[in-house]
Amino acid sequence: MKRVLKIYSPYVFGILMGVPIIFGLIYGYGPETFDAGEVIGYSSMIVAMALIFVAVKNHRDKVNNGVISFGESMRIGLAISAIGGLAWGLYNFIFVTWIMPDFNEQYLAHVEGLEIGTPAFEEKFEALMNGSDSFMYTPIGGTILMFVTVFLIGVVISVISSLVLKSSEHTTPA
């Protein structure tokens, strides 16, 4: 399993950290890029987590002579999911801490169609930041949320990959 993680982890990390950073460097960071940024972000997550299927298949075919159990396949998938979650969480932390520290304000204004500094905006922002789920809007809370988001996508892809690629322990490869 270490071999497959050494091969695929850099790709997962690179996709999840690199694609959004490159997008931001090309198009900038601001409300005008939020919608496209969401598409880029979720697409990056899905593409990176799709590598789970490739990694499991590669491990099954090249290391295990065409045989892999559901459990071994899930271990590989969950490890890659965790690495992906760490990468996306790290990107989120860097983004909201250093790249765009006013992201919460700008995103709320964008989504609600409000202008920052108006009484309506201030009221909504205050409610958001002091609400029961305000932890989610802190750098640590957002990082945890982003880790969980990518990890859960990876879990789903891991289950599907494991079901599709598993083979009976007693089956000999063709």
Side-chain angles (χ1 to χ4, degrees):
M1 185 163 101
K2 285 182 184 180
R3 177 190 164 279
V4 77
L5 291 178
K6 283 181 183 178
I7 293 169
Y8 290 96
S9 295
Y11 292 112
V12 168
F13 209 88
I15 290 168
L16 290 170
M17 292 282 292
V19 171
I21 289 172
I22 291 168
F23 174 81
L25 291 173
I26 293 170
Y27 295 103
Y29 299 103
E32 65 281 350
T33 64
F34 286 164
D35 294 332
E38 284 182 21
V39 172
I40 293 296
Y42 284 108
S43 297
S44 298
M45 290 178 206
I46 291 167
V47 168
M49 293 298 95
L51 288 176
I52 291 168
F53 182 88
V54 177
V56 170
K57 185 176 184 323
N58 180 288
H59 186 73
R60 181 194 71 181
D61 295 346
K62 293 189 177 169
V63 175
N64 284 3
N65 298 318
V67 178
I68 195 161
S69 68
F70 181 84
E72 184 177 15
S73 179
M74 282 299 294
R75 281 191 297 281
I76 292 168
L78 293 177
I80 292 173
S81 298
I83 290 165
L86 288 171
W88 195 250
L90 179 61
Y91 170 76
N92 180 76
F93 186 80
I94 291 168
F95 183 80
V96 300
T97 303
W98 292 293
I99 296 173
M100 192 175 200
D102 62 343
F103 173 77
N104 289 331
E105 293 95 331
Q106 288 197 37
Y107 191 73
L108 177 67
H110 172 74
V111 169
E112 296 290 334
L114 299 170
E115 190 173 326
I116 294 175
T118 62
F121 171 82
E122 294 298 330
E123 181 181 326
K124 285 230 182 216
F125 188 71
E126 183 72 24
L128 182 71
M129 297 311 286
N130 292 320
S132 61
D133 56 349
S134 63
F135 176 71
M136 182 174 89
Y137 300 103
T138 66
I140 297 297
T143 298
I144 292 168
L145 178 66
M146 294 298 105
F147 171 87
V148 170
T149 300
V150 172
F151 186 77
L152 290 177
I153 291 169
V155 167
V156 170
I157 292 175
S158 295
V159 169
I160 292 168
S161 298
S162 297
L163 289 170
V164 169
L165 295 171
K166 77 176 174 105
S167 51
S168 170
E169 295 288 335
H170 305 294
T171 305
T172 53

